[in-house]
Amino acid sequence: MARKGATTRRLLKIFILLFIVLTINNLIYYYHFVAGSSSNEETKGIGVLVVITAESKEEQYKIAMDSVKCYSKIHDYHFILVRDSDYIACNHKDKFFRRHCITAQILPKYDAVMFLDADIGVVNPKRRIEEFLSDGIDVVLYYRFYNWEIAAGSYIVKNTPFALEFLKEWADYESKLPKSFHGTDNGAIHLLLAEKIFTSSDVELEMCRKVYNISKWYDDLFTYEACIKNMFGSGTDFGKIRIMKKGTGWTRDCWLTSCQWHPETDFMLHGWKSGQLKETPVNKTRPNQMSRIQWYNPFLGPMDLMRCKPENTTWSYNLNLLGSKFEITNSLRKYEEEIAMMQAKSYARIVNLLEPNKNTTVKPK
């Protein structure tokens, strides 16, 4: 009986010791990973963030993301890939609004964050994100090339109270959307910016809002966005917000030039989904528009991420897609002129949308 009692006491002591060890480990985990992840954590340079959904398959974006991973390693940026389902604080119903909430959750850990859609890839690793950072500017956006929209799929934000509040407002705009064809976060960013830059009593702002509220399809949505664009005029800087002009941002769509690119004009290209990849033509392509749901791989083979180091910015390219700077610029310029005409026609639709029964024809005297 005495021996049995001694054995029981030893087992009890072992159990108590294990309990203490597990408790200490849990405290260390909480302090390091939970308490230590607060906004007081020391910043760590520039983060490059990609947010995918719980259902997304990483291999669908492998070429694009490998190029971004390699680029980040070269310049000592922090590549961050997260699934939106891991951020329970961002409980927005719409995945597009949810990603801006997640950016706001991650931003305090870095000096600045570049947010990228998963299908954006790097073609020119010699370019740096710092090119787009300026004193006094906390949020950097850009206009799409193929229309007059402000892109929602990529932006740069600094770790400042203004940028954090901007991201939260953008994410929470989900609850302010009209019961119309609103374009989710891409439509919302235009009105959010207008509300922050102009006063709520601005007549033009309210006119644009009315168009947004009755939008039924893409033509109406683009008319609303043209209305907002007209308010911004040709300016780029609005307080702490910069909206870069067409063609001056860090990325454009690959299909605009049949994926031809030039190191003096391009940095990143958009639209790299593996399921839409086409075999690159044997002969050199021309910088003309191709299908929006197709693209050619600018690289000759898969990325070797082990070789991605600061001294190695020489990548293996398919030379058939390295085009002439003059031809690419000329082709994009012609397309830009076409878009300008389409934008002007959208302005004309505003009256028809707001006053459909009014005869706007001016009769000659």
Side-chain angles (χ1 to χ4, degrees):
M1 291 294 292
R3 183 176 298 173
K4 185 177 180 180
T7 301
T8 301
R9 285 192 295 273
R10 281 198 299 270
L11 289 173
L12 182 61
K13 288 180 180 178
I14 292 171
F15 175 79
I16 293 172
L17 181 62
L18 286 171
F19 177 79
I20 293 171
V21 170
L22 288 172
T23 301
I24 292 173
N25 282 341
N26 285 336
L27 287 171
I28 292 172
Y29 175 88
Y30 176 81
Y31 178 78
H32 184 71
F33 292 101
V34 180
S37 63
S38 69
S39 59
N40 292 325
E41 183 176 339
E42 185 179 354
T43 54
K44 305 174 183 176
I46 295 176
V48 182
L49 173 64
V50 175
V51 179
I52 58 177
T53 65
E55 303 79 22
S56 296
K57 296 179 180 179
E58 289 184 42
E59 57 266 27
Q60 178 71 3
Y61 310 103
K62 179 173 174 53
I63 297 173
M65 285 204 287
D66 278 358
S67 72
V68 177
K69 288 177 184 177
C70 186
Y71 170 74
S72 298
K73 290 177 71 173
I74 288 170
H75 294 291
D76 198 26
Y77 301 142
H78 299 263
F79 177 76
I80 314 152
L81 174 63
V82 300
R83 292 190 181 271
D84 60 4
S85 54
D86 293 334
Y87 287 78
I88 57 175
C90 298
N91 56 1
H92 301 74
K93 295 179 181 178
D94 188 324
K95 65 181 181 181
F96 295 110
F97 286 102
R98 198 181 308 138
R99 58 188 183 171
H100 309 309
C101 172
I102 292 170
T103 306
Q105 296 282 311
I106 291 172
L107 179 57
K109 300 177 183 179
Y110 301 93
D111 295 312
V113 165
M114 171 183 274
F115 172 86
L116 293 175
D117 269 346
D119 61 345
I120 294 177
V122 175
V123 286
N124 185 1
K126 291 183 172 64
R127 300 284 299 272
R128 294 185 64 94
I129 295 172
E130 286 87 344
E131 293 177 35
F132 303 93
L133 296 175
S134 301
D135 291 342
I137 300 295
D138 292 352
V139 177
V140 187
L141 303 153
Y142 63 89
Y143 286 105
R144 292 184 190 273
F145 202 97
Y146 69 86
N147 60 19
W148 45 90
E149 276 190 325
I150 297 167
S154 184
Y155 50 83
I156 301 172
V157 280
K158 289 182 182 177
N159 182 5
T160 66
F162 179 88
L164 283 167
E165 184 62 26
F166 176 83
L167 290 169
K168 291 173 184 176
E169 286 184 77
W170 193 2
D172 292 342
Y173 216 93
E174 179 185 55
S175 63
K176 298 181 181 180
L177 291 174
K179 295 179 179 180
S180 64
F181 189 79
H182 49 66
T184 68
D185 68 328
N186 221 142
I189 186 63
H190 296 77
L191 198 53
L192 171 62
L193 286 168
E195 289 171 347
K196 294 183 76 67
I197 295 168
F198 306 101
T199 63
S200 58
S201 60
D202 192 289
V203 173
E204 289 181 272
L205 172 57
E206 293 312 308
M207 181 176 67
C208 297
R209 192 193 305 277
K210 288 178 183 177
V211 175
Y212 192 36
N213 289 342
I214 62 174
S215 172
K216 294 182 175 63
W217 192 234
Y218 283 107
D219 285 346
D220 301 339
L221 181 66
F222 294 154
T223 298
Y224 144 73
E225 291 170 350
C227 184
I228 297 291
K229 175 68 173 67
N230 185 56
M231 293 183 67
F232 293 153
S234 60
T236 57
D237 292 359
F238 305 91
K240 297 181 179 181
I241 298 170
R242 173 170 292 167
I243 310 173
M244 302 190 72
K245 292 184 177 181
K246 193 184 303 295
T248 65
W250 49 91
T251 186
R252 65 168 174 86
D253 289 277
C254 195
W255 62 266
L256 285 166
T257 57
S258 291
C259 294
Q260 270 205 15
W261 67 281
H262 191 276
E264 291 184 26
T265 59
D266 292 301
F267 179 7
M268 300 181 180
L269 295 176
H270 173 244
W272 294 6
K273 296 182 178 70
S274 297
Q276 298 173 351
L277 178 62
K278 306 297 291 185
E279 185 176 352
T280 304
V282 176
N283 299 320
K284 200 173 186 71
T285 61
R286 300 285 297 172
N288 301 320
Q289 298 160 43
M290 63 188 294
S291 169
R292 297 189 182 194
I293 56 172
Q294 294 180 352
W295 65 289
Y296 301 132
N297 186 354
F299 309 120
L300 283 178
M303 284 270 177
D304 183 356
L305 296 179
M306 296 298 294
R307 300 179 64 184
C308 300
K309 299 177 181 179
E311 66 273 12
N312 186 8
T313 58
T314 304
W315 291 357
S316 181
Y317 298 111
N318 188 322
L319 298 182
N320 284 341
L321 297 177
L322 273 171
S324 156
K325 177 183 176 181
F326 173 79
E327 290 183 356
I328 290 172
T329 303
N330 192 47
S331 179
L332 289 173
R333 177 67 180 180
K334 288 180 180 178
Y335 190 60
E336 186 177 358
E337 291 172 357
E338 293 176 19
I339 295 302
M341 290 298 295
M342 293 169 60
Q343 184 178 334
K345 290 178 181 178
S346 277
Y347 295 148
R349 293 189 73 247
I350 295 174
V351 175
N352 293 332
L353 284 171
L354 296 181
E355 299 180 336
N357 299 320
K358 185 174 181 179
N359 184 359
T360 57
T361 303
V362 179
K363 296 180 179 180
K365 293 182 179 179

